[in-house]
Amino acid sequence: MMRGAMASEWLKLRSVNSMRVTLPLACAASFVLAVAPFASDPARSAMSAAQLARYDAAGYCYSGGFLIVVLAVGVLGTLSATSEYGSGLIGTTFLAVPRRRAVLAAKAAVVGGAALLVGLVLSLATFLTAQRMLAGKHLAVGLGDPGAARAVAGAGAFLAVTALAGLAIGIVLRRATAATAAFLGLYVGANLVTGALGGAADAAGRWTPLQILKGLTSTRGASAALPGPTAAALECLAYLVVLLGLAALVIGRRDV
Amino acid sequence: MAGGASLDGMIETHELTKRYGSTTAVDRLSLVVKPGRVTGFLGPNGSGKSTTLRMILGLAHPTGGHALVGGRPYSELRRPLHEVGAMLDPGAVHPGRTARDHLRSIALTTGISAARVGAVLELTGLTPVARRRVGGFSLGMRQRLGIAAALLGDPPAVILDEPVNGLDPEGIQWIRNLLRGMAAEGRAVLVSSHLMTEMEQTADHLIVIGRGRLIADTGMAEFVRGASRTDVLVRVDDPGRLASVLVGAGGDVASEADGALAVRGLAPRRIGDLAARADVAVHELAVRRATLEQAYFEATENAVEYRAGDGGRR
């Protein structure tokens, strides 16, 4: 039953335009805007020692344009749930697979798996392209350099976490507008709040998704507001447990 | 067809109850839908029909009682699409997906072949539009797509909520033949509709509910016969004389506006004999059978939740 449910979810995911058009567009925009700033970075010889110590050739790949694909994947994640609730299609889905948690598991496997694959390909492509652009400036790092491979893998995995968070929020809230707003509130709004509060909100700031992404991809160490890679990974896990747990709780209880 | 042979296709509810706060939508409803016939499911708006169907199909949780399909709760069916096919809402589709992909996404859950998807598309006349997006479909085409989905697993029981909504006369006739054909093959067919004339031609058996309670669970002919409206219309040259004769013979006679007599309690043949003996010339003698619609209105008179004209009062 699980295999059938996953095959069904996979077909549903790839048979609508949001996946065939929106996702590739978001990936392309994300890639271009992520690598473009490297062209204007100064060469190694023009940097001070302090600048050079801060310069994060791996982490910078995932700080700017990459956020476009993060937000797109998260919204697509919410849509994969809310589009079914909005049309009532979720009823048809539950008729075919009455074990509702199996539906959630199948959706999570497919949405999370697809996002992981897309995320890893995109993060690797971004990294390799950026390093190629930095080579002439003698700033490039390789996958073998400390933290670089972890940054690439972390950025890819973060997309999967984001898609799953979106899916769970979509299942809990059911309505597209509410779910999109909640997702953007968590991913963008939370950062605006902790940013405005400054140092007072450092502890909370470590828990905002965008700081988690930075923690996963930075190769220049943690700070008060920035979790280290292990802490960031654990925070991702905590988010998934809470959000997917909530989704699993409500999906079985509610009338459709 | 999988499962225990004797219970195949049988749909039953026992004391099924659904409360929303202080409102009781379905009230200790017990019914059995048997294979081999078309069972019409009737009731006014808000009488609990859809809620009942949703509980049978595991989409809503009962407050009390239970519903079984083929002897098991829906949520415990291992291959539900092969036990019962259902169409509740023809709008429950993703507008951006093609008809074929919609059906394939359902078929994949339980390993139904692409050939079967093609077969139900053919059966419902959707083959020419199979690769078109559902968003552009008319209500009638969506109804056909919903029915196609219900038939995917070739199930021994079929539940259709308002399947003729939005269909043209050809489509309605097609549904009628389809439902009758499925019943003839030994399947249980449960179908709700507001179109009484249509139901009269399609259903063998009726389940009527009002305010969530069972009002009637009976054969179609029996239900209609039970209505008080069946009478005999008589037009004669001397209605006054015949009226007194008929009343004397035990008939219940009422005068129509145009002078004709509406007679109850006497057979047409007896009325003709009495008229002949009284030397009254008969111009017309016609049995007026109650329609399903009349019988339905009589049965549900006290159970209409919202009625026009009384301000929607309960």
Side-chain angles (χ1 to χ4, degrees), chain A residues 1 25 31 55 82 85 89 120 133 136 141 154 170 234:
Chain A
M1 190 176 217
L25 274 178
F31 173 79
Y55 193 82
T82 57
Y85 279 104
L89 184 61
L120 288 176
M133 292 163 74
V141 293
L234 289 175

Side-chain angles (χ1 to χ4, degrees), chain B residues 152-290:
Chain B
L152 269 176
D154 197 14
V158 177
I159 295 177
L160 304 174
D161 197 6
E162 302 280 351
V164 299
N165 269 1
L167 288 183
D168 55 16
E170 258 188 320
I172 292 176
Q173 191 179 33
W174 170 75
I175 289 255
R176 187 192 305 149
N177 293 336
L178 180 75
L179 298 182
R180 304 251 16 118
M182 287 196 293
E185 289 166 12
R187 296 175 215 257
V189 180
L190 179 63
V191 53
S192 81
S193 175
H194 282 116
L195 296 181
M196 292 299 154
T197 46
E198 184 44 42
M199 196 61 104
E200 202 163 6
Q201 293 181 63
T202 308
D204 313 290
H205 194 86
L206 286 180
I207 291 170
V208 185
I209 67 170
R211 289 189 176 172
R213 289 190 190 167
L214 188 69
I215 290 178
D217 183 349
T218 173
M220 170 69 74
E222 212 178 319
F223 182 74
V224 175
R225 217 182 297 127
S228 53
R229 273 297 296 271
T230 303
D231 62 10
V232 181
L233 184 83
V234 196
R235 278 181 217 282
V236 291
D237 57 354
D238 188 349
R241 182 141 130 235
L242 182 63
S244 59
V245 170
L246 294 177
V247 170
D252 179 1
V253 182
S255 233
E256 301 270 300
D258 61 353
L261 302 176
V263 186
R264 284 181 191 149
L266 290 174
R269 182 192 176 119
R270 177 119 172 87
I271 295 169
D273 287 347
L274 288 167
R277 232 172 284 154
D279 208 16
V280 174
V282 176
H283 301 153
E284 186 182 357
L285 182 68
V287 177
R288 292 195 299 189
R289 286 189 201 292

Side-chain angles (χ1 to χ4, degrees), chain B residues 23-313:
Chain B
T23 311
T24 303
V26 177
D27 195 359
R28 285 169 296 148
L29 186 65
S30 296
L31 53 85
V32 179
V33 180
K34 292 192 177 124
R37 66 190 189 191
V38 178
T39 301
F41 194 28
L42 304 181
N45 285 335
S47 59
K49 294 192 301 292
S50 288
T51 306
T52 301
L53 297 181
R54 298 181 91 78
M55 285 193 284
I56 290 171
L57 295 167
L59 296 178
H61 303 293
T63 315
H66 61 275
L68 302 174
V69 176
R72 304 230 301 275
Y74 193 90
S75 61
E76 288 174 19
L77 297 178
R78 244 168 298 163
R79 302 171 77 216
L81 299 182
H82 299 277
E83 304 268 350
V84 55
M87 187 204 45
L88 296 183
D89 175 9
V93 288
H94 191 297
R97 206 169 275 139
T98 66
R100 185 181 193 81
D101 279 344
H102 173 72
L103 293 175
R104 279 184 62 213
S105 76
I106 300 168
L108 280 171
T109 58
T110 175
I112 292 169
S113 68
R116 177 65 189 164
V117 171
V120 296
L121 281 166
E122 192 66 43
L123 178 67
T124 50
L126 291 173
T127 306
V129 295
R131 287 174 198 285
R132 290 215 336 235
R133 288 174 199 283
V134 178
F137 278 21
S138 66
L139 177 56
M141 288 157 83
R142 288 181 192 210
Q143 291 278 20
R144 287 169 181 267
L145 182 59
I147 290 166
L151 300 181
L152 269 176
D154 197 14
V158 177
I159 295 177
L160 304 174
D161 197 6
E162 302 280 351
V164 299
N165 269 1
L167 288 183
D168 55 16
E170 258 188 320
I172 292 176
Q173 191 179 33
W174 170 75
I175 289 255
R176 187 192 305 149
N177 293 336
L178 180 75
L179 298 182
R180 304 251 16 118
M182 287 196 293
E185 289 166 12
R187 296 175 215 257
V189 180
L190 179 63
V191 53
S192 81
S193 175
H194 282 116
L195 296 181
M196 292 299 154
T197 46
E198 184 44 42
M199 196 61 104
E200 202 163 6
Q201 293 181 63
T202 308
D204 313 290
H205 194 86
L206 286 180
I207 291 170
V208 185
I209 67 170
R211 289 189 176 172
R213 289 190 190 167
L214 188 69
I215 290 178
D217 183 349
T218 173
M220 170 69 74
E222 212 178 319
F223 182 74
V224 175
R225 217 182 297 127
S228 53
R229 273 297 296 271
T230 303
D231 62 10
V232 181
L233 184 83
V234 196
R235 278 181 217 282
V236 291
D237 57 354
D238 188 349
R241 182 141 130 235
L242 182 63
S244 59
V245 170
L246 294 177
V247 170
D252 179 1
V253 182
S255 233
E256 301 270 300
D258 61 353
L261 302 176
V263 186
R264 284 181 191 149
L266 290 174
R269 182 192 176 119
R270 177 119 172 87
I271 295 169
D273 287 347
L274 288 167
R277 232 172 284 154
D279 208 16
V280 174
V282 176
H283 301 153
E284 186 182 357
L285 182 68
V287 177
R288 292 195 299 189
R289 286 189 201 292
T291 60
L292 171 61
E293 191 170 53
Q294 289 159 353
Y296 167 80
F297 281 137
E298 279 184 28
T300 59
E301 206 166 22
N302 297 317
V304 178
E305 195 88 338
Y306 306 101
R307 186 190 291 148
D310 66 356
R313 187 170 45 83

